[in-house]
Amino acid sequence: FAWKSIKDYQDIKFELFEGIAKITINRPEVYNAFRPETNMELIEAMDIARERQDIRVIVLTGEGDKAFCSGGDQNVKGKGGYVGKDGVPRLNVLDLHKRIRSMPKPVIAMVNGYAIGGGHVLHVVCDLTIASDNARFGQTGPKVGSFDGGFGSSYLARHVGQKKAREIWFLCEQYTAEEAEKMGMVNKVVPLAELEATTVAWCRTIMKRSPMAVRMIKRGLNAELDGQTGIMEMAGDATLMFYLMEEAQEGKNAFLEKRDPDFDKYPKFP
Ligand code: 2NE
């Protein structure tokens, strides 16, 4: 596939092919572990992908054939979080989770190896996961002095059930791609050589569907779980669609023309 760079970064690659944005964590020497700067770049790329009209689907992956992401970079873990070049400890991967969750376009994890620790959480947060047959999944937090009690546990439990989610977190074992698929946290497993082609094929199928319909399905599925934030996101899109109606235009026009609005002429759907 003829991926073209959208923007150059230090820790990630950000590329476009057809309507697909591919974001690759590019730190293979640490199995694509993230440091604060990695997350800052990922967040910026997600924001660009959200805004751009020519991007319909986002694929998140890792460089090479060893790892999707091995979580937080243990070399920079200090007191209070992962310490960036500015000396400030952060856990800014949570801001990335929020971006993926509220992204009005599908985000697909293309898991090409280890999805471990915070890297496992990243695939959990994505809308779909397509994995290569060499991929391995698992949490390590309670083994290495960390945990994710947010999407990394509660949303995981929605995929695999409460008992299995507790097992994954309490035991910190690793699971094969096949086991992860059986558990319901992976959509499809393919040979590594077919991973990108399969992911692109899924993206192409999604891109044939109505973007607004897909968006509203994501909002609805999120809203059931995300409380007021989920309702806010869904209501925001309802407002967007209302703004597309003549009825909303009439309200604004009446204000600007200093007259009473005439809403009687608009249909009252049963
Ligand atoms: C991923 C895994 C299981 C791979 O094992 P193996 O034996 O195949 O490879 P190896 O030798 O352990 O790793 C290869 C190289 O990558 C580095 C290693 O240090 C090693 O470097 P060299 O010795 O060759 O120089 N590497 C791997 N993961 C790294 C990491 N996270 N940070 C820095 N360097 C890393 C095995 O490597 C593994 O278990 N990795 C650690 C996974 C982990 O515990 N991640 C952090 C969990 S906590 C977290 O991510 C988190 C959270 O829980 C909540 C919120 C936010 C973040």
Side-chain angles (χ1 to χ4, degrees):
F1 302 103
W3 298 101
K4 281 210 175 106
S5 178
I6 295 175
K7 187 171 174 183
D8 290 336
Y9 289 100
Q10 195 179 351
D11 285 9
I12 67 168
K13 292 202 255 174
F14 186 26
E15 299 163 296
L16 180 70
F17 171 68
E18 296 180 352
I20 309 163
K22 183 170 71 164
I23 305 177
T24 307
I25 304 175
N26 190 18
R27 305 188 73 222
E29 66 283 4
V30 285
Y31 277 29
N32 299 317
F34 53 76
R35 54 183 176 176
E37 291 80 4
T38 319
N39 291 321
M40 287 172 194
E41 292 179 3
L42 288 166
I43 287 165
E44 187 184 290
M46 286 288 172
D47 286 346
I48 292 170
R50 177 176 186 140
E51 293 291 336
R52 274 183 59 156
Q53 295 291 303
D54 57 344
I55 293 173
R56 294 274 306 274
V57 186
I58 296 101
V59 172
L60 180 64
T61 191
E63 182 66 22
D65 59 4
K66 295 281 188 287
F68 167 74
C69 175
S70 61
D73 186 334
Q74 299 305 289
N75 298 302
V76 299
K77 194 173 176 206
K79 279 195 171 174
Y82 295 89
V83 183
K85 286 179 191 144
D86 57 6
V88 178
R90 292 189 171 84
L91 191 55
N92 61 350
V93 74
L94 300 185
D95 297 309
L96 176 63
H97 296 172
K98 285 190 262 181
R99 293 302 201 289
I100 295 171
R101 189 73 173 174
S102 69
M103 175 71 70
K105 305 169 183 180
V107 183
I108 302 178
M110 184 169 81
V111 178
N112 51 310
Y114 284 109
I116 293 284
H120 188 259
V121 177
L122 275 184
H123 103 85
V124 166
V125 177
C126 289
D127 297 303
L128 299 169
T129 297
I130 304 176
S132 54
D133 50 9
N134 68 321
R136 290 184 79 82
F137 297 81
Q139 296 296 158
T140 60
K143 207 164 60 175
V144 298
S146 185
F147 64 92
D148 183 331
F151 287 127
S153 51
S154 59
Y155 191 39
L156 174 68
R158 292 292 182 142
H159 299 163
V160 302
Q162 283 281 343
K163 294 276 186 186
K164 211 70 193 171
R166 284 162 210 246
E167 174 193 313
I168 290 168
W169 274 101
F170 294 176
L171 273 66
C172 297
E173 304 280 21
Q174 289 178 9
Y175 302 88
T176 64
E178 199 187 332
E179 287 169 329
E181 185 186 28
K182 278 198 190 119
M183 274 187 239
M185 62 179 177
V186 164
N187 294 91
K188 192 167 180 65
V189 181
V190 294
L192 180 63
E194 293 168 25
L195 181 61
E196 187 159 288
T198 305
T199 307
V200 167
W202 279 47
C203 292
R204 282 177 171 151
T205 303
I206 291 170
M207 289 190 290
K208 286 188 199 152
R209 311 297 176 233
S210 152
M212 188 56 91
V214 169
R215 176 178 179 141
M216 294 310 291
I217 287 295
K218 176 166 176 172
R219 293 287 194 237
L221 289 167
N222 285 357
E224 189 217 344
L225 308 176
D226 290 356
Q228 283 202 315
T229 301
I231 293 168
M232 178 271 288
E233 299 270 20
M234 194 151 170
D237 281 359
T239 310
L240 159 64
M241 285 193 272
F242 179 53
Y243 285 173
L244 295 169
M245 294 174 70
E246 287 294 321
E247 189 175 329
Q249 297 297 319
E250 168 61 10
K252 176 205 70 177
N253 290 342
F255 174 80
L256 292 176
E257 291 161 15
K258 300 190 184 309
R259 60 174 172 81
D260 286 336
D262 174 12
F263 292 122
D264 286 344
K265 55 190 169 187
Y266 300 110
K268 286 88 193 156
F269 298 100

